[in-house]
Amino acid sequence: MQTASTIARLTLLAVGVAGALAAADANAAAFQLKENSAKGLGRAFAGSGSAEGDASIIAVNPAGMRQLDGTLVQGDLSAISFKAEFKGQGRNAAGRPQTGGDGGDAGMIAPVPAAYFHMPIGEKAHFGVSLTAPFGFKTEYDNGWVGRYSGLKTDLKAIDLGFAASYDVNPYVSFGASVFVEHLTIELSNAVDYGSILAGAGAPGFAPGSADGTLKIEGDNNAVGWTVGGLFSIDENTHIGLSYRSKVEHKITGGDATFSGADRARSLLTNSPRTRGWFMDTSGKATVTMPASATLSVTHKVNDRWTVMGDVTRTAWSTAFDSVTVDYASPQADSVLEFGYRDTTFVSLGADYKLSDTVTLRGGVALDQTPTTDAHRDVRVPDTSRKWLSLGVGWTPSQNTEWNFGYTHLFTSDPNVNVRATTANQGNSLSGKYKVRGDVLAASFQYKF
């Protein structure tokens, strides 16, 4: 059982931020979102930085605006369905079986919108605007579940407003860049085991799990990032795109930590000479970095009907999430959080088949690596590597309008989760397995002026 002096090192704001950073998206490594295009989804995002006719290239590789025809607007909406069901057991700070249920389905059904505008400037220059959500995730467990001290709710969203420009050196070479403003919001919660803390301090009438409270963390920040790219055409049928998206450093200075529930137990701890100032509503700050990524994209038109594409993306998670230092305004000391994320690779292959002048069929497959390992997997979302199978269809009823629809099913293994009984987990441990499933459905509309 933990003592009060040990619990004194518990940094609850740090735990909250850590939970948000450990969250995993159902459809890309960790909480990275690729869902910015229905046309791209239909071929597992192969050709994302080199294929023609898709305005999402403004955000992925601005040099690819050479592949867009005239002034146009495009709107996309993806619906992500993610299931995460836990089966296992835990132990409390006294080493006894933990009470609580399995948490229910912690997954979600969530919309992911995107919008684009492209306009040529003269014969060689292009201007574009994009609104995308490159990072995001949400999970929520039932109150009182067996893993409540590790996480109840995680909600992370990043929305980018980007402005892009490109220049065509000639019909075969173009370069582009964009600057974007990213708005990040984090909300999460977990239970706090006041009963365990008081029992460890010798307070009569308390035991692990006898006085649970709740901690909710909220924070937001705006930061600026950039993307650069080039598009190189060997001939009119073969295009190679190279792009790099910068990391984005969010310095959250006005985060809020709010404690609720178990008022008597919390009052005893807050006013005790040994724990004075603990578990009080407080502000805090931390630097949360969204990772950089680089993409190589190739598109080749085989004939009038067939076009094949491929993508490789490398995401630099290790430098963004190796560790995070949290500084908060309560008497508790700062913490350095160790994540141990590894860099990841996403590989996809896809094809378009022009069935007629108005209908195009698509398909694609992908391998998507997770940055987590068994030693660094969090219950807030049990991320795992996955395989994609994608299908899509495009319909062009007129020269000015185009509709696209895409669907992806994710094949995943059932990841293990083993949460050790550390101070960060309030002396509670958890072990078990998740059933994880994911599907994505998307639609888009493009209009050319």
mmCIF file of all heavy atoms in Angstrom, residues 83-101:
data_model
loop_
_atom_site.group_PDB
_atom_site.id
_atom_site.type_symbol
_atom_site.label_atom_id
_atom_site.label_comp_id
_atom_site.label_asym_id
_atom_site.label_seq_id
_atom_site.Cartn_x
_atom_site.Cartn_y
_atom_site.Cartn_z
ATOM 1 N N LYS A 83 -14.446 0.904 -32.271
ATOM 2 C CA LYS A 83 -14.876 0.094 -31.134
ATOM 3 C C LYS A 83 -13.661 -0.313 -30.314
ATOM 4 O O LYS A 83 -12.642 -0.750 -30.853
ATOM 5 C CB LYS A 83 -15.625 -1.151 -31.610
ATOM 6 C CG LYS A 83 -15.992 -2.129 -30.497
ATOM 7 C CD LYS A 83 -16.657 -3.375 -31.033
ATOM 8 C CE LYS A 83 -18.081 -3.069 -31.456
ATOM 9 N NZ LYS A 83 -18.830 -4.315 -31.801
ATOM 10 N N ALA A 84 -13.773 -0.187 -28.991
ATOM 11 C CA ALA A 84 -12.713 -0.621 -28.081
ATOM 12 C C ALA A 84 -13.355 -1.206 -26.834
ATOM 13 O O ALA A 84 -13.902 -0.482 -26.004
ATOM 14 C CB ALA A 84 -11.799 0.545 -27.709
ATOM 15 N N GLU A 85 -13.324 -2.526 -26.702
ATOM 16 C CA GLU A 85 -13.949 -3.221 -25.577
ATOM 17 C C GLU A 85 -12.879 -3.977 -24.786
ATOM 18 O O GLU A 85 -12.125 -4.767 -25.357
ATOM 19 C CB GLU A 85 -15.022 -4.189 -26.080
ATOM 20 C CG GLU A 85 -16.182 -3.477 -26.757
ATOM 21 C CD GLU A 85 -17.219 -4.441 -27.301
ATOM 22 O OE1 GLU A 85 -16.832 -5.549 -27.721
ATOM 23 O OE2 GLU A 85 -18.418 -4.072 -27.316
ATOM 24 N N PHE A 86 -12.851 -3.753 -23.488
ATOM 25 C CA PHE A 86 -11.822 -4.327 -22.619
ATOM 26 C C PHE A 86 -12.331 -5.569 -21.896
ATOM 27 O O PHE A 86 -13.479 -5.615 -21.439
ATOM 28 C CB PHE A 86 -11.387 -3.277 -21.579
ATOM 29 C CG PHE A 86 -10.429 -3.800 -20.552
ATOM 30 C CD1 PHE A 86 -9.083 -3.939 -20.842
ATOM 31 C CD2 PHE A 86 -10.886 -4.157 -19.286
ATOM 32 C CE1 PHE A 86 -8.202 -4.419 -19.894
ATOM 33 C CE2 PHE A 86 -10.011 -4.643 -18.331
ATOM 34 C CZ PHE A 86 -8.658 -4.775 -18.634
ATOM 35 N N LYS A 87 -11.468 -6.555 -21.786
ATOM 36 C CA LYS A 87 -11.718 -7.730 -20.963
ATOM 37 C C LYS A 87 -10.464 -7.994 -20.138
ATOM 38 O O LYS A 87 -9.382 -8.183 -20.694
ATOM 39 C CB LYS A 87 -12.042 -8.960 -21.823
ATOM 40 C CG LYS A 87 -13.318 -8.850 -22.633
ATOM 41 C CD LYS A 87 -14.545 -8.769 -21.746
ATOM 42 C CE LYS A 87 -15.820 -8.700 -22.577
ATOM 43 N NZ LYS A 87 -17.033 -8.559 -21.720
ATOM 44 N N GLY A 88 -10.611 -7.960 -18.824
ATOM 45 C CA GLY A 88 -9.455 -8.213 -17.976
ATOM 46 C C GLY A 88 -9.780 -7.926 -16.534
ATOM 47 O O GLY A 88 -10.950 -7.891 -16.123
ATOM 48 N N GLN A 89 -8.748 -7.701 -15.754
ATOM 49 C CA GLN A 89 -8.931 -7.466 -14.331
ATOM 50 C C GLN A 89 -7.846 -6.531 -13.818
ATOM 51 O O GLN A 89 -6.836 -6.299 -14.484
ATOM 52 C CB GLN A 89 -8.866 -8.787 -13.552
ATOM 53 C CG GLN A 89 -7.553 -9.542 -13.739
ATOM 54 C CD GLN A 89 -7.575 -10.911 -13.083
ATOM 55 O OE1 GLN A 89 -8.540 -11.280 -12.431
ATOM 56 N NE2 GLN A 89 -6.489 -11.656 -13.245
ATOM 57 N N GLY A 90 -8.082 -6.002 -12.621
ATOM 58 C CA GLY A 90 -7.114 -5.105 -12.015
ATOM 59 C C GLY A 90 -6.961 -5.392 -10.533
ATOM 60 O O GLY A 90 -7.708 -6.179 -9.946
ATOM 61 N N ARG A 91 -5.983 -4.728 -9.946
ATOM 62 C CA ARG A 91 -5.763 -4.816 -8.499
ATOM 63 C C ARG A 91 -5.600 -3.407 -7.938
ATOM 64 O O ARG A 91 -5.042 -2.532 -8.590
ATOM 65 C CB ARG A 91 -4.524 -5.663 -8.189
ATOM 66 C CG ARG A 91 -4.729 -7.132 -8.543
ATOM 67 C CD ARG A 91 -3.638 -8.027 -7.990
ATOM 68 N NE ARG A 91 -3.930 -9.421 -8.262
ATOM 69 C CZ ARG A 91 -4.688 -10.198 -7.499
ATOM 70 N NH1 ARG A 91 -5.231 -9.693 -6.389
ATOM 71 N NH2 ARG A 91 -4.912 -11.456 -7.819
ATOM 72 N N ASN A 92 -6.115 -3.226 -6.712
ATOM 73 C CA ASN A 92 -6.028 -1.911 -6.097
ATOM 74 C C ASN A 92 -4.698 -1.723 -5.394
ATOM 75 O O ASN A 92 -3.811 -2.590 -5.461
ATOM 76 C CB ASN A 92 -7.214 -1.679 -5.148
ATOM 77 C CG ASN A 92 -7.239 -2.672 -3.985
ATOM 78 O OD1 ASN A 92 -6.208 -3.223 -3.583
ATOM 79 N ND2 ASN A 92 -8.429 -2.893 -3.427
ATOM 80 N N ALA A 93 -4.555 -0.589 -4.702
ATOM 81 C CA ALA A 93 -3.281 -0.259 -4.069
ATOM 82 C C ALA A 93 -2.917 -1.215 -2.952
ATOM 83 O O ALA A 93 -1.746 -1.297 -2.559
ATOM 84 C CB ALA A 93 -3.334 1.169 -3.534
ATOM 85 N N ALA A 94 -3.890 -1.971 -2.438
ATOM 86 C CA ALA A 94 -3.615 -2.959 -1.397
ATOM 87 C C ALA A 94 -3.305 -4.328 -1.985
ATOM 88 O O ALA A 94 -3.078 -5.286 -1.237
ATOM 89 C CB ALA A 94 -4.804 -3.069 -0.449
ATOM 90 N N GLY A 95 -3.312 -4.443 -3.319
ATOM 91 C CA GLY A 95 -3.024 -5.710 -3.969
ATOM 92 C C GLY A 95 -4.218 -6.625 -4.091
ATOM 93 O O GLY A 95 -4.072 -7.778 -4.507
ATOM 94 N N ARG A 96 -5.411 -6.147 -3.771
ATOM 95 C CA ARG A 96 -6.614 -6.965 -3.848
ATOM 96 C C ARG A 96 -7.314 -6.726 -5.190
ATOM 97 O O ARG A 96 -7.086 -5.710 -5.849
ATOM 98 C CB ARG A 96 -7.562 -6.627 -2.700
ATOM 99 C CG ARG A 96 -6.964 -6.884 -1.313
ATOM 100 C CD ARG A 96 -8.019 -6.705 -0.224
ATOM 101 N NE ARG A 96 -7.449 -6.958 1.095
ATOM 102 C CZ ARG A 96 -6.939 -6.022 1.871
ATOM 103 N NH1 ARG A 96 -6.917 -4.746 1.462
ATOM 104 N NH2 ARG A 96 -6.443 -6.334 3.057
ATOM 105 N N PRO A 97 -8.199 -7.663 -5.606
ATOM 106 C CA PRO A 97 -8.915 -7.489 -6.874
ATOM 107 C C PRO A 97 -9.675 -6.166 -6.914
ATOM 108 O O PRO A 97 -10.354 -5.796 -5.957
ATOM 109 C CB PRO A 97 -9.862 -8.693 -6.911
ATOM 110 C CG PRO A 97 -9.163 -9.731 -6.094
ATOM 111 C CD PRO A 97 -8.482 -8.974 -4.990
ATOM 112 N N GLN A 98 -9.560 -5.470 -8.030
ATOM 113 C CA GLN A 98 -10.207 -4.176 -8.202
ATOM 114 C C GLN A 98 -11.688 -4.362 -8.497
ATOM 115 O O GLN A 98 -12.090 -5.272 -9.221
ATOM 116 C CB GLN A 98 -9.548 -3.417 -9.350
ATOM 117 C CG GLN A 98 -10.062 -2.013 -9.567
ATOM 118 C CD GLN A 98 -9.751 -1.123 -8.384
ATOM 119 O OE1 GLN A 98 -10.547 -1.020 -7.447
ATOM 120 N NE2 GLN A 98 -8.581 -0.500 -8.405
ATOM 121 N N THR A 99 -12.520 -3.499 -7.932
ATOM 122 C CA THR A 99 -13.949 -3.515 -8.224
ATOM 123 C C THR A 99 -14.219 -2.781 -9.526
ATOM 124 O O THR A 99 -13.421 -1.962 -9.991
ATOM 125 C CB THR A 99 -14.734 -2.850 -7.095
ATOM 126 O OG1 THR A 99 -14.303 -1.482 -6.964
ATOM 127 C CG2 THR A 99 -14.493 -3.568 -5.774
ATOM 128 N N GLY A 100 -15.385 -3.037 -10.123
ATOM 129 C CA GLY A 100 -15.787 -2.295 -11.309
ATOM 130 C C GLY A 100 -16.050 -3.194 -12.500
ATOM 131 O O GLY A 100 -15.627 -4.354 -12.552
ATOM 132 N N GLY A 101 -16.753 -2.644 -13.497
ATOM 133 C CA GLY A 101 -17.085 -3.370 -14.715
ATOM 134 C C GLY A 101 -16.010 -3.238 -15.767
ATOM 135 O O GLY A 101 -14.899 -2.752 -15.517
#
